[in-house]
Amino acid sequence: MIQWWQILLLTLYAAFQIMDELHWYSSAGSAVFSGFFTGLVMGDMATGLFIGGSMQLTILGVGTFGGASRIDANSGTLVATAFAVSQGMDPEQALAALGVPVAAILVYTDILGRFANTFWGHACDADVEKMNWNAYNVHYWMGAVSWCLSRALPVFLALAFGQPVVEAITTALNGDFKWLGDGLTVAGGMLPAVGFAILLRYLPVKKHIAYLILGFVIAALLGTAFTSIVTLGGDAANLAAGLNGLLGEDAAVAVGGGYKSLSMLTIALIGFALAYIYYQQHQNAPVAVSAGTEGDDDDEL
C-alpha cells in the first residue's frame, strides 16, 4: 500500500522534474534519477534503479525536435517503480505493463502543458508592450505552474486512485493471464535493446564502426572483470607477487593468469577494429617520395 506521504513526495517530485528538464538541467529530470528517487521514497532503491536504468536505455535514441512531444519516461518510471515495490511486481513486468503505457499516455498532458504555456507566453508579450511588470511576473509563473501540473496531476491521480486497478492487473498477470505477464516480462527486458537500436539508427555507425566494436568489446571485458571483486583481488595479489621477485614464465603467469581465458573472438575483434582505424587514417595519406629518386630515373634514361 502506498502511504499518503509517499504520494505527496512523489507528486511534488513529478512537478519538479519537468521544470528541471526544461530549465535547470541538474539531471533530476531523467529516468534514472526518477527511479532512484522513487525507489528511495518507496524503500527499494534497487528496483527503482533497475526500472529507471531500463527506461533510460529505452528512450536513449528518442529525442524531441522543435515543439514535438515524446513519451514521459520520468513519470512512467515513477509510477512503475511505486507500484512494483508496493505490489511486489517483477521490475521488467512493471516496466512493460505500467511504465511504458503511462509514459505514452502523458504525451497528451505534455501537449496540454504546451498549449497552456503558449497562452501564458502571449500574455507575457502583451504585458511587456504595456510595461505591466506585475502582471508579467504573474503570467510568467503561471506558465511554470501549467508545466508542473501536466505531470503532477496525472501522477497524483495514478498513485492515489490507481491502486485497485494495479492490484487487479497484478492479480490477473500472476493468475489466469500469466502467459501475458511472462510475455510482458520478456518485452520489458527487450526494451533497452530497442533504445540502442534507435540510437544506432541515427549515429554514423558505418563511418565509425571500428570505435563501436572497440566500445562494445571493452564494455564486455569490463563487465566481466568487475563481476567478482574476489577475482580482482586475486589478480592484484598475483601482480604484487610478480613484482616482488618472480621471474620468467612464472612471473608472466602470476601477473596475467587471470586473463588467460580471453577468447580468440575478442582478440580478433580488437585487432580488426585497430586495423580498420589504421586503414582509415592512412588511406588518403600522401605517398612520400624518397630523395634522389628522380635523379636515379634520369641516370637510367
Side-chain angles (χ1 to χ4, degrees):
M1 188 71 179
I2 305 177
Q3 303 299 318
W4 67 267
W5 61 271
Q6 293 173 323
I7 295 176
L8 177 61
L9 286 177
L10 294 178
T11 300
L12 291 175
Y13 168 73
F16 170 78
Q17 58 91 8
I18 183 59
M19 296 306 298
D20 182 85
E21 184 177 344
L22 293 172
H23 293 283
W24 303 306
Y25 301 106
S26 69
S27 296
S30 64
V32 172
F33 191 92
S34 178
F36 162 75
F37 183 80
T38 308
L40 185 64
V41 172
M42 297 301 299
D44 190 349
M45 196 181 302
T47 298
L49 288 173
F50 181 87
I51 294 178
S54 298
M55 184 68 85
Q56 190 75 56
L57 293 175
T58 301
I59 63 166
L60 196 61
V62 178
T64 55
F65 303 95
S69 294
R70 62 171 173 82
I71 64 173
D72 187 358
N74 305 341
S75 300
T77 298
L78 189 157
V79 173
T81 302
F83 285 118
V85 175
S86 63
Q87 299 298 319
M89 294 180 66
D90 181 270
E92 293 178 343
Q93 189 179 98
L95 175 66
L98 297 176
V100 173
V102 168
I105 291 173
L106 261 68
V107 169
Y108 300 102
T109 62
D110 180 79
I111 294 173
L112 289 175
R114 292 176 185 272
F115 271 120
N117 192 256
T118 301
F119 172 80
W120 297 120
H122 287 309
C124 287
D125 292 338
D127 295 332
V128 171
E129 292 179 358
K130 299 175 183 178
M131 295 187 179
N132 188 350
W133 305 119
N134 291 329
Y136 174 86
N137 290 330
V138 172
H139 292 151
Y140 176 84
W141 285 110
M142 287 303 296
V145 170
S146 64
W147 273 115
C148 292
L149 289 177
S150 69
R151 268 60 176 184
L153 187 59
V155 166
F156 171 78
L157 294 175
L159 296 178
F161 303 105
Q163 192 85 12
V165 176
V166 176
E167 289 178 356
I169 292 175
T170 305
T171 302
L173 293 178
N174 293 325
D176 296 337
F177 291 91
K178 190 176 185 305
W179 57 272
L180 179 59
D182 294 340
L184 290 174
T185 300
V186 175
M190 293 176 59
L191 286 175
V194 175
F196 269 108
I198 296 174
L199 179 65
L200 293 176
R201 179 66 179 83
Y202 288 101
L203 292 177
V205 174
K206 293 182 180 179
K207 182 178 180 181
H208 301 292
I209 184 65
Y211 296 100
L212 176 64
I213 294 174
L214 278 179
F216 175 80
V217 172
I218 292 172
L221 289 176
L222 290 177
T224 302
F226 287 97
T227 299
S228 173
I229 192 64
V230 176
T231 302
L232 290 177
D235 291 338
N238 288 336
L239 179 60
L243 295 176
N244 282 334
L246 291 179
L247 301 175
E249 183 177 355
D250 292 336
V253 173
V255 175
Y259 301 96
K260 292 188 296 184
S261 60
L262 196 64
S263 68
M264 291 302 298
L265 178 60
T266 302
I267 297 174
L269 287 174
I270 295 175
F272 171 78
L274 294 176
Y276 189 73
I277 293 173
Y278 180 84
Y279 168 75
Q280 283 187 316
Q281 292 177 346
H282 293 81
Q283 63 176 339
N284 295 323
V287 179
V289 179
S290 60
T293 302
E294 295 183 358
D296 293 341
D297 293 339
D298 293 338
D299 294 338
E300 291 178 1
L301 291 175

